Amino acid sequence: MGRQVKRALAIVLLAALAAVLFLTLDLGAAAPAALRDYLFERGSEETGSINLVSAIYLGYRVFDTLGETVVMLVSVMGVAAVLGEHG
Amino acid sequence: MKESEIVDMVSRKLTPYILLLGLYLVSFGHLSPGGGFQGGAVLATGIIQLALARGVRATTRVFPLRRFSLVETAGFFLFLLIGTVGMLAGLSFLGIFLPTGTPGRIPSAGFIFFLNLIIGMKVAAGMSLICLTILKEQGT
């Protein structure tokens, strides 16, 4: 098979996949509304933080934040190990 | 690198204010938009700007790289320590053990304030360390 044919086939396949994904998209989904309302009403009260972003990322999802700091630490360790002089 | 009076002067005058803004964003993270990560990024911006304008060697005389690695590592262990204190207080790991207080006051929100401080220092140290190491490698 020539390169042109392969490329055309890939484009057609990807376009079909995109069409399927777009058709299954439900833009009127109402699932997160309950969670949103709960956080809006009780978020400040339960964590004591007015800033709801902080309330989520250091209150409800603080374990995620711990993982995020591990990612930061590992990337710093990688850069220091490759480029640093004292390892 | 070519010397420029304007860049030199502006960066030296601007850096303290950038650091002040970063500290404000970190310490008011539970009250207003901002937080540890954002404030830490602003703090790192000030330090990196100093390094770009004045050179890495002059910057590391004020902010030694070794201290950055120390803060980065200590921040992680302080985070773990705060989580473990929650366990000792009879809650889950990273459970909120401090009183939450009245929302809106400055000492409120349990340990969110302290976690913001720790994450701010850690992100500032980590980003500065990465950028300064790369700039040093390039010989700026």
Coordinates of all heavy atoms in Angstrom, one line a residue, chain B residues 55-104:
Chain B
G55 N 22.0 37.1 36.0 CA 22.9 35.9 35.9 C 22.7 34.9 37.0 O 22.2 35.3 38.1
V56 N 22.9 33.7 36.8 CA 22.6 32.6 37.8 C 23.6 32.8 39.0 O 23.2 32.6 40.1 CB 22.7 31.2 37.1 CG1 22.5 30.2 38.2 CG2 21.7 31.1 36.1
R57 N 24.8 33.1 38.7 CA 25.8 33.1 39.8 C 25.4 34.2 40.8 O 25.5 33.9 42.0 CB 27.2 33.4 39.2 CG 28.3 33.2 40.3 CD 29.6 33.0 39.6 NE 29.7 31.9 38.7 CZ 30.6 31.7 37.8 NH1 31.5 32.7 37.7 NH2 30.6 30.7 37.0
A58 N 25.0 35.4 40.4 CA 24.6 36.4 41.3 C 23.4 36.0 42.1 O 23.2 36.3 43.3 CB 24.4 37.7 40.6
T59 N 22.5 35.3 41.4 CA 21.2 34.9 42.1 C 21.5 33.8 43.1 O 20.9 33.8 44.2 CB 20.2 34.4 41.1 OG1 20.1 35.3 40.0 CG2 18.8 34.2 41.7
T60 N 22.3 32.9 42.8 CA 22.6 31.8 43.8 C 23.4 32.3 45.0 O 23.4 31.6 46.0 CB 23.3 30.6 43.1 OG1 24.4 31.1 42.3 CG2 22.4 29.8 42.2
R61 N 24.0 33.5 44.9 CA 24.6 34.0 46.1 C 23.5 34.4 47.1 O 23.7 34.3 48.3 CB 25.5 35.2 45.7 CG 26.8 35.1 46.3 CD 27.7 36.3 45.9 NE 28.2 36.2 44.5 CZ 28.2 37.2 43.7 NH1 27.8 38.4 44.0 NH2 28.6 37.0 42.4
V62 N 22.4 34.9 46.6 CA 21.3 35.3 47.5 C 20.4 34.0 47.8 O 20.0 33.8 49.0 CB 20.4 36.3 46.8 CG1 19.4 36.9 47.9 CG2 21.3 37.5 46.3
F63 N 20.1 33.2 46.8 CA 19.3 32.0 47.0 C 20.1 30.8 46.6 O 20.1 30.4 45.4 CB 18.0 32.1 46.1 CG 17.2 33.3 46.3 CD1 17.2 34.4 45.4 CD2 16.3 33.4 47.4 CE1 16.4 35.5 45.6 CE2 15.5 34.5 47.6 CZ 15.5 35.5 46.7
P64 N 20.8 30.2 47.5 CA 21.7 29.1 47.2 C 20.8 27.9 46.7 O 19.7 27.6 47.3 CB 22.4 28.7 48.5 CG 22.3 29.9 49.3 CD 21.0 30.6 48.9
L65 N 21.3 27.1 45.7 CA 20.5 26.0 45.2 C 20.3 24.9 46.3 O 19.3 24.3 46.3 CB 21.3 25.4 44.0 CG 21.3 26.2 42.7 CD1 22.0 25.5 41.6 CD2 19.9 26.6 42.3
R66 N 21.3 24.8 47.2 CA 21.2 23.7 48.2 C 20.0 24.0 49.1 O 19.3 23.1 49.5 CB 22.5 23.7 49.0 CG 22.9 22.4 49.5 CD 24.4 22.4 49.9 NE 25.1 21.6 49.0 CZ 25.2 20.3 49.0 NH1 24.4 19.7 49.9 NH2 25.9 19.6 48.2
R67 N 19.8 25.3 49.4 CA 18.6 25.7 50.2 C 17.3 25.4 49.5 O 16.4 25.0 50.2 CB 18.7 27.2 50.6 CG 18.1 27.5 51.9 CD 18.5 28.8 52.4 NE 19.9 28.9 52.7 CZ 20.5 30.1 53.0 NH1 19.8 31.2 52.8 NH2 21.8 30.1 53.3
F68 N 17.3 25.6 48.2 CA 16.1 25.2 47.5 C 15.8 23.7 47.6 O 14.6 23.4 47.9 CB 16.2 25.6 46.0 CG 16.0 27.0 45.7 CD1 16.8 27.6 44.8 CD2 15.0 27.7 46.3 CE1 16.7 29.0 44.4 CE2 14.9 29.1 46.0 CZ 15.7 29.7 45.1
S69 N 16.8 22.9 47.5 CA 16.5 21.4 47.6 C 16.1 21.1 49.0 O 15.2 20.3 49.2 CB 17.7 20.6 47.2 OG 18.8 21.4 46.8
L70 N 16.7 21.8 50.0 CA 16.3 21.5 51.4 C 14.8 21.9 51.6 O 14.0 21.1 52.2 CB 17.2 22.4 52.3 CG 17.0 22.1 53.8 CD1 17.6 20.7 54.1 CD2 17.7 23.2 54.6
V71 N 14.4 23.1 51.1 CA 13.0 23.5 51.3 C 12.0 22.5 50.6 O 11.0 22.1 51.1 CB 12.8 24.9 50.8 CG1 11.3 25.3 50.8 CG2 13.5 25.9 51.7
E72 N 12.4 22.1 49.4 CA 11.6 21.2 48.6 C 11.4 19.9 49.3 O 10.2 19.4 49.4 CB 12.3 21.0 47.2 CG 11.6 19.9 46.3 CD 10.4 20.4 45.6 OE1 10.3 21.7 45.5 OE2 9.6 19.6 45.3
T73 N 12.4 19.3 49.9 CA 12.3 18.1 50.6 C 11.6 18.2 51.9 O 10.7 17.4 52.3 CB 13.7 17.5 50.8 OG1 14.5 17.7 49.7 CG2 13.6 16.0 51.0
A74 N 11.9 19.3 52.6 CA 11.3 19.5 53.9 C 9.8 19.8 53.8 O 9.0 19.3 54.6 CB 12.0 20.7 54.6
G75 N 9.4 20.4 52.7 CA 8.0 20.7 52.5 C 7.2 19.4 52.4 O 6.1 19.2 52.9
F76 N 7.8 18.4 51.6 CA 7.1 17.1 51.5 C 6.9 16.4 52.8 O 5.9 15.9 53.1 CB 7.9 16.3 50.5 CG 7.3 14.9 50.3 CD1 6.0 14.8 49.8 CD2 8.0 13.8 50.7 CE1 5.5 13.5 49.6 CE2 7.5 12.6 50.5 CZ 6.2 12.4 50.0
F77 N 8.0 16.5 53.6 CA 7.9 15.8 54.9 C 7.0 16.5 55.9 O 6.3 15.8 56.7 CB 9.3 15.5 55.5 CG 10.0 14.4 54.8 CD1 11.1 14.7 54.0 CD2 9.6 13.1 54.9 CE1 11.8 13.7 53.4 CE2 10.2 12.1 54.3 CZ 11.3 12.4 53.5
L78 N 6.9 17.8 55.8 CA 6.0 18.5 56.6 C 4.5 18.2 56.2 O 3.7 18.1 57.1 CB 6.2 20.1 56.5 CG 7.3 20.6 57.3 CD1 7.5 22.1 57.0 CD2 7.0 20.4 58.8
F79 N 4.3 18.1 54.9 CA 3.0 17.7 54.5 C 2.6 16.3 55.1 O 1.5 16.1 55.6 CB 3.0 17.6 52.9 CG 1.7 17.7 52.3 CD1 1.4 18.7 51.3 CD2 0.6 16.8 52.5 CE1 0.2 18.8 50.7 CE2 -0.6 16.9 51.9 CZ -0.8 17.9 51.0
L80 N 3.5 15.4 55.0 CA 3.3 14.0 55.5 C 3.0 14.1 57.0 O 2.2 13.4 57.6 CB 4.4 13.1 55.2 CG 4.5 12.5 53.8 CD1 5.7 11.5 53.8 CD2 3.2 11.8 53.5
L81 N 3.8 15.0 57.7 CA 3.7 15.1 59.2 C 2.3 15.6 59.5 O 1.7 15.1 60.5 CB 4.8 16.1 59.7 CG 4.9 16.2 61.2 CD1 5.6 14.9 61.7 CD2 5.8 17.4 61.5
I82 N 1.8 16.6 58.8 CA 0.5 17.1 59.1 C -0.6 16.0 58.9 O -1.5 15.9 59.7 CB 0.2 18.4 58.2 CG1 1.0 19.6 58.7 CG2 -1.3 18.7 58.2 CD1 0.6 20.9 58.0
G83 N -0.4 15.2 57.8 CA -1.3 14.1 57.6 C -1.3 13.1 58.8 O -2.3 12.6 59.2
T84 N -0.1 12.9 59.3 CA 0.0 11.9 60.4 C -0.5 12.4 61.7 O -1.1 11.6 62.5 CB 1.5 11.5 60.5 OG1 2.1 11.4 59.2 CG2 1.7 10.2 61.2
V85 N -0.4 13.7 61.9 CA -1.0 14.3 63.1 C -2.5 14.1 63.2 O -3.1 13.7 64.2 CB -0.6 15.8 63.3 CG1 -1.4 16.4 64.4 CG2 0.9 15.9 63.5
G86 N -3.1 14.2 62.0 CA -4.5 13.9 61.9 C -4.8 12.4 62.3 O -5.8 12.2 63.0
M87 N -3.9 11.5 62.0 CA -4.1 10.1 62.4 C -4.0 10.0 63.9 O -4.8 9.2 64.5 CB -3.1 9.2 61.7 CG -3.5 8.7 60.3 SD -2.1 8.0 59.5 CE -2.3 6.4 60.0
L88 N -3.0 10.7 64.5 CA -2.8 10.6 65.9 C -4.0 11.2 66.7 O -4.3 10.8 67.8 CB -1.5 11.3 66.3 CG -0.2 10.7 65.8 CD1 1.0 11.4 66.3 CD2 -0.1 9.2 66.3
A89 N -4.6 12.1 66.0 CA -5.8 12.8 66.7 C -7.0 11.9 66.6 O -8.1 12.3 67.1 CB -6.1 14.1 66.1
G90 N -6.9 10.7 66.0 CA -8.1 9.8 65.9 C -8.9 9.9 64.7 O -10.0 9.4 64.6
L91 N -8.4 10.7 63.7 CA -9.2 10.8 62.4 C -8.5 10.0 61.4 O -7.5 9.3 61.7 CB -9.2 12.3 62.0 CG -9.9 13.2 63.0 CD1 -9.6 14.7 62.8 CD2 -11.4 13.0 62.9
S92 N -8.9 10.2 60.1 CA -8.2 9.5 59.0 C -6.9 10.2 58.7 O -6.6 11.3 59.2 CB -9.1 9.5 57.8 OG -9.4 10.8 57.4
F93 N -6.1 9.6 57.8 CA -4.9 10.3 57.3 C -5.3 11.6 56.6 O -6.2 11.6 55.8 CB -4.2 9.4 56.3 CG -2.9 10.0 55.7 CD1 -1.9 10.3 56.6 CD2 -2.8 10.2 54.4 CE1 -0.7 10.8 56.1 CE2 -1.7 10.7 53.9 CZ -0.6 11.0 54.7
L94 N -4.7 12.7 57.0 CA -5.0 14.0 56.5 C -6.4 14.5 56.9 O -7.0 15.3 56.2 CB -4.9 14.1 54.9 CG -3.4 14.2 54.4 CD1 -3.4 13.9 52.9 CD2 -2.8 15.5 54.7
G95 N -7.0 13.9 57.9 CA -8.2 14.4 58.4 C -8.1 15.8 59.0 O -7.0 16.1 59.5
I96 N -9.1 16.6 59.0 CA -9.0 18.0 59.5 C -9.1 17.9 61.0 O -10.2 17.7 61.6 CB -10.1 18.9 58.9 CG1 -10.0 18.9 57.4 CG2 -10.0 20.3 59.5 CD1 -11.1 19.8 56.7
F97 N -7.9 18.1 61.7 CA -7.9 18.0 63.1 C -8.0 19.3 63.8 O -8.3 19.4 65.0 CB -6.6 17.2 63.6 CG -5.4 17.9 63.1 CD1 -4.7 18.8 63.9 CD2 -4.8 17.5 61.9 CE1 -3.6 19.4 63.5 CE2 -3.6 18.1 61.5 CZ -3.0 19.1 62.3
L98 N -7.6 20.4 63.1 CA -7.7 21.8 63.7 C -9.2 22.3 63.6 O -9.9 21.9 62.8 CB -6.8 22.7 63.0 CG -5.3 22.5 63.2 CD1 -4.5 23.4 62.3 CD2 -4.9 22.8 64.7
P99 N -9.6 23.1 64.6 CA -10.9 23.7 64.5 C -11.0 24.6 63.2 O -10.1 25.3 62.9 CB -11.0 24.6 65.7 CG -9.7 24.8 66.2 CD -8.9 23.6 65.8
T100 N -12.2 24.5 62.5 CA -12.3 25.3 61.3 C -12.5 26.8 61.5 O -12.3 27.6 60.7 CB -13.4 24.7 60.4 OG1 -14.6 24.6 61.2 CG2 -13.0 23.3 59.9
G101 N -13.0 27.1 62.7 CA -13.2 28.5 63.0 C -14.3 29.1 62.2 O -15.0 28.4 61.4
T102 N -14.5 30.5 62.3 CA -15.5 31.1 61.5 C -15.0 31.4 60.1 O -13.9 32.1 60.0 CB -16.0 32.4 62.1 OG1 -14.8 33.1 62.6 CG2 -16.9 32.1 63.3
P103 N -15.6 31.0 59.0 CA -15.1 31.3 57.7 C -15.0 32.8 57.5 O -15.9 33.5 57.8 CB -16.2 30.7 56.8 CG -16.9 29.7 57.6 CD -16.8 30.2 59.0
G104 N -13.8 33.2 56.9 CA -13.6 34.6 56.6 C -12.6 35.3 57.5 O -12.0 36.2 57.1

